[in-house]
Amino acid sequence: MTISAEAALTGVQTAIAAYTQALDAGRTDEIPPLFTEDGVAEITGQGTFEGREAIGKAYGAFTPQTPQLHLVGNTILTSPPGEEVTARSNLVFLARGEQGWTVQLVGAYDDTLVLQDGAWLFRKRVTTFG
C-alpha cells in the first residue's frame, strides 16, 4: 500500500493530538491504546516504560492536579512515508497557577508510529526536555 507524505503526516498529527488531549484532560486511561502492544514510552527524568500495561501504570501517575496544556508543533516526518514512519515535534508544556499560565518545560517528541487497522499507533515515543 502506498501512503502519501500528507496522509502519514495527518495521521501522525492526529495521534499526537489524541495523546496530548487525553493527557491534559487527565484521561490517562486513553494513553495506552495509542501505543502498540509492545510500545515504548521513554521520558527524560521519568524512565522507560515498555508495553501497554507499564505505559498505563506510568501515565496513571501523571494525572494532572492543576490545569495543564501541551502545545506541540513543527511536526515533520523524518523518514519516508510507509506503514511505519518516524517524526519529530517541538513541545511546550504550560501549567496554570495563581498567576496564570506559565511555561514549565520545553522539549521534543521523537516518535516511531505504525499504521495498524487504519490508525497510527506509537511504537516508540521519546520525550526529551531542555
Side-chain angles (χ1 to χ4, degrees), residues 1-18:
M1 167 170 59
T2 302
I3 300 169
S4 71
E6 294 81 14
L9 182 58
T10 297
V12 166
Q13 290 171 325
T14 299
I16 292 169

Side-chain angles (χ1 to χ4, degrees), residues 6-123:
E6 294 81 14
L9 182 58
T10 297
V12 166
Q13 290 171 325
T14 299
I16 292 169
Y19 170 94
T20 58
Q21 294 280 335
L23 188 56
D24 290 341
R27 299 186 316 267
T28 55
D29 59 318
E30 294 177 16
I31 301 291
L34 298 173
F35 284 80
T36 60
E37 286 289 338
D38 61 348
V40 175
E42 182 180 324
I43 306 169
T44 299
Q46 299 294 321
T48 300
F49 313 99
E50 298 182 32
R52 284 184 177 161
E53 185 176 335
I55 289 169
K57 185 175 179 182
Y59 280 91
F62 300 150
T63 302
Q65 303 304 307
T66 60
Q68 67 179 39
L69 183 64
H70 288 76
L71 297 177
V72 181
N74 303 325
T75 301
I76 59 167
L77 300 181
T78 56
S79 67
E83 291 187 19
E84 178 174 292
V85 67
T86 57
R88 182 167 178 84
S89 305
N90 296 114
L91 161 68
V92 176
F93 175 72
L94 301 148
R96 190 174 76 200
E98 290 182 19
Q99 302 300 319
W101 290 96
T102 58
V103 173
Q104 301 295 304
L105 298 166
V106 175
Y109 291 129
D110 288 290
D111 296 317
T112 302
L113 296 99
V114 294
L115 186 59
Q116 290 185 354
D117 299 322
W120 288 93
L121 301 178
F122 295 101
R123 175 170 283 159

